[in-house]
Amino acid sequence: MASMIIHVDANDPRPIYRQVADEIRALIASGALRTGDALPPVRQVAADLGVNLNTIATAYRELQDEGLITVRHGARALVASRTTSTARGTKESESRELRRSLRTVLTKLVLAGLPRSQIMSQVSEELRELTKGSR
Amino acid sequence: MASMIIHVDANDPRPIYRQVADEIRALIASGALRTGDALPPVRQVAADLGVNLNTIATAYRELQDEGLITVRHGARALVASRTTSTARGTKESESRELRRSLRTVLTKLVLAGLPRSQIMSQVSEELRELTKGSR
Amino acid sequence: MASMIIHVDANDPRPIYRQVADEIRALIASGALRTGDALPPVRQVAADLGVNLNTIATAYRELQDEGLITVRHGARALVASRTTSTARGTKESESRELRRSLRTVLTKLVLAGLPRSQIMSQVSEELRELTKGSR
Amino acid sequence: MASMIIHVDANDPRPIYRQVADEIRALIASGALRTGDALPPVRQVAADLGVNLNTIATAYRELQDEGLITVRHGARALVASRTTSTARGTKESESRELRRSLRTVLTKLVLAGLPRSQIMSQVSEELRELTKGSR
DNA sequence: GTGGTCTAGACCACG
DNA sequence: GTGGTCTAGACCACC
C-alpha cells in the first residue's frame, strides 16, 4: 500500500508525531498494513503533511520501539511480524500503562454522564471498526 | 473519608499533577468522594506525596476547570454536584476527544495481542470498579 | 505585528498574568491580532516585562482554556479562529458572570457620580476603540 | 430599611465579602439605601448569611474605604452623603481602574460574539435597573 | 528554540 | 489555616 493516507488535525491536542503514530498503529491493527508491507519514506510523509521531517522520524521511532515496525538503515521501514512484536514483550510495565490509560478514559466517560451500557457499546463499536480489515 | 489515599508513580509517564487529578477523578466517579465532600488541603497532599505544593494546586485547578470541584479562596475544595458539572457542557469537542482517546487505547490493546472478548471483559471489569460506590 | 506591545502596571490590583491575558484579549477583539497570527514567545514577553516566565505561561494557558489561542508544544502560540472559539460554548454560566461583571462596574460608575449619558458615551467610546480594527 | 435583603451565591466566583459589598453598593446606587440610613449590624448579616463575621466586616471596611458608608465605633454603620463620598476623591487612580474594568468586561462581551448594538442595549438596561429607585 | 513541568520558598487574599 | 500568585532556575517534550 504505497499511498497510505494519514491525516493530522491542528485542533487535535495530541502532538503531531503521536497523531501519526496512532494512525499507523490503527492501520496495522485493522490489517490495512500487513507484515512485510513497506511504510512510505519519512521524507514523503513529512512533505505530504507539511510538517517537519523530525516529527515523522519521531513517530517511526516510537513504532520501532514498540516492535511494530523494523527500520533498516537506508531501506524502507517494514511492518514487523506480529509474533516478533508480541514475542518481544508485552512487558508488565507496558501492560500496566495500558490498563491505566484504559481506566483514565473510562473514568472520563463515566463522569461525562454516559451509562455503562452506552460505554460498552461504544467500545464494542470501536473494536469492530478497528478489526474490520483482515485478521 | 478523612484519609483519601492518593498515589503517584515516578515511572508513570503522565505528569504528577495529572496523575493526581486522574486519581481524584476516579474517586469521584466511583462515589468514594461525593458531592459536598471536602478534598484534603493542597499542602497536606503535597506533603504526603513529597511533591511541591504548586504541583497539587495545578491538579486542583484542572479539576475546577472541569467543574468537578469548587474551590473558594480561604475554604476547602469541595466536590461539586454532578448536575453542576454536567450542565457545564459536555461540548462536542470534548466528546470527540474522548472518543479518540478510547480508540487509541483500544488499538494498543488489540496490537498487544488481546482477543476482543478479553478486551471487553477488561473494560467491563474496570467499569465495575469505577462505579462500585453509589450512583 | 512583530512587536506587540504589552504593558503591566504594578499598581493595578489584577495579578500580572491576568493583566497580560486581558491585554491580549483586547488585541484580539480589536483585530490587532487576527486568526493565525503568532503570539510572541513566552520567554520574550517575560523578558520584556521583567517578570517570570511562568507568569506569562499562565496567561497563555488562560487564553488557551478560553479557546482564544492554540498552543502547540514546540510551536508558536497562534490566535485561534473565531468560529473555533465561539463554537466552544458561550455557556450560560459564562454569560451570567459577564452580566454580573457588567453590573458591578456600572454600579461603581454611577456611584462615582457620572450621569447616565456620560457612562453611555464612555461605553460607546470603549467599544469603538475595541472594534476599530477589522471585524 | 432594617431588613435589607442580601444574597450570596456559592457558585459565584467572586469572594463572598465582595458579593456582599457589591450588593450594598447597588442598593445605595439605586436609592434603596439613602444618606443617613443605618446598615444592619455586622453580626446580624453574618448570622443571616451563615458566613464568618470577618467576611462581613471586610465588606463594610471596603465600603468605608470607598467613602460610601461611615462606621463609628460601637454605633451602626450609616450611608454617607453623596457629596461626602464624591468630594473625597474620585481620585485619578480610581477612575483609571474603573475604566480598566469597563474595558475588560466590554472586551469579553465583544469576544463572546455580541454585536455592539446588543452590548449597548444591555448596558442601557442595566443602568435603568440600577437607577430605578429614587435619585 | 518553542512551550510544559517541577521545585523551593516567599508573600498575599480570603474566611 | 485555606487557596492564589509570583519568583528563579532546572530539566523535559516537541518541532
Side-chain angles (χ1 to χ4, degrees), chain B residues 15-17 43 51-52 54-55 72-75:
Chain B
I16 294 174
Y17 85 89
R43 282 165 176 72
V51 303
N52 189 276
N54 287 327
T55 306
R72 298 203 62 93
H73 224 123

Side-chain angles (χ1 to χ4, degrees), chain A residues 25 28 60-71 78-95 97-98, chain B residues 107-113:
Chain A
R25 244 183 243 108
I28 296 175
Y60 278 33
R61 199 177 320 121
E62 182 166 281
L63 295 170
Q64 185 181 21
D65 290 347
E66 293 172 0
L68 289 173
I69 66 175
T70 62
V71 181
L78 303 178
V79 177
S81 80
R82 208 53 143 285
T83 40
T84 305
S85 53
T86 51
R88 189 194 50 94
T90 311
K91 288 167 296 193
E92 270 181 62
S93 65
E94 271 175 43
S95 151
E97 258 184 46
L98 277 179
Chain B
T107 301
K108 287 183 179 172
L109 288 167
V110 167
L111 289 175

Side-chain angles (χ1 to χ4, degrees), chain B residues 64 71-73, chain C residues 93 96-98 100-101, chain D residues 9-16 18-19:
Chain B
Q64 183 185 27
V71 179
R72 298 203 62 93
H73 224 123
Chain C
S93 62
R96 221 182 315 126
E97 270 179 37
L98 278 179
R100 274 202 282 244
S101 301
Chain D
D9 173 2
N11 288 14
D12 191 320
R14 288 174 298 174
I16 295 174
R18 193 174 296 277
Q19 292 185 42

Side-chain angles (χ1 to χ4, degrees), chain C residues 119-130, chain D residues 99 106 120:
Chain C
I119 295 174
M120 290 300 287
S121 59
Q122 274 201 25
V123 169
S124 182
E125 187 189 330
E126 287 290 348
L127 283 176
R128 230 176 303 120
E129 281 287 319
L130 270 173
Chain D
R99 196 66 181 247
L106 291 176
M120 288 302 287

Side-chain angles (χ1 to χ4, degrees), chain B residues 46-66:
Chain B
D48 288 355
L49 298 180
V51 303
N52 189 276
L53 178 164
N54 287 327
T55 306
I56 308 302
T58 301
Y60 278 34
R61 198 178 316 124
E62 179 165 291
L63 294 169
Q64 183 185 27
D65 290 347
E66 291 173 3

Side-chain angles (χ1 to χ4, degrees), chain D residues 6 9 19-20 22 24 29 32 34 48 74 78 87 94 101 109-110 126 133:
Chain D
I6 294 179
D9 173 2
Q19 292 185 42
V20 172
D22 283 347
I24 296 177
R34 320 170 91 100
D48 287 356
L78 303 178
E94 272 175 42
S101 302
L109 288 167
V110 168
E126 287 291 344

Side-chain angles (χ1 to χ4, degrees), chain D residues 11 30 32 35 43 54-55 62 76 81-83:
Chain D
N11 288 14
S30 75
T35 302
R43 285 169 201 287
N54 284 328
T55 306
E62 181 167 281
R76 300 277 287 267
S81 79
R82 209 53 143 285
T83 39

Side-chain angles (χ1 to χ4, degrees), chain D residues 8-79:
Chain D
V8 295
D9 173 2
N11 288 14
D12 191 320
R14 288 174 298 174
I16 295 174
Y17 87 90
R18 193 174 296 277
Q19 292 185 42
V20 172
D22 283 347
E23 290 222 13
I24 296 177
R25 243 183 243 107
L27 291 171
I28 296 175
S30 75
L33 284 174
R34 320 170 91 100
T35 302
D37 284 355
L39 268 60
V42 167
R43 285 169 201 287
Q44 182 190 312
V45 178
D48 287 356
L49 299 180
V51 303
N52 192 295
L53 193 146
N54 284 328
T55 306
I56 308 302
T58 302
Y60 278 34
R61 200 178 319 121
E62 181 167 281
L63 295 170
Q64 186 183 23
D65 289 348
E66 292 172 0
L68 289 172
I69 67 176
T70 62
V71 180
R72 302 183 59 93
H73 181 74
R76 300 277 287 267
L78 303 178
V79 176

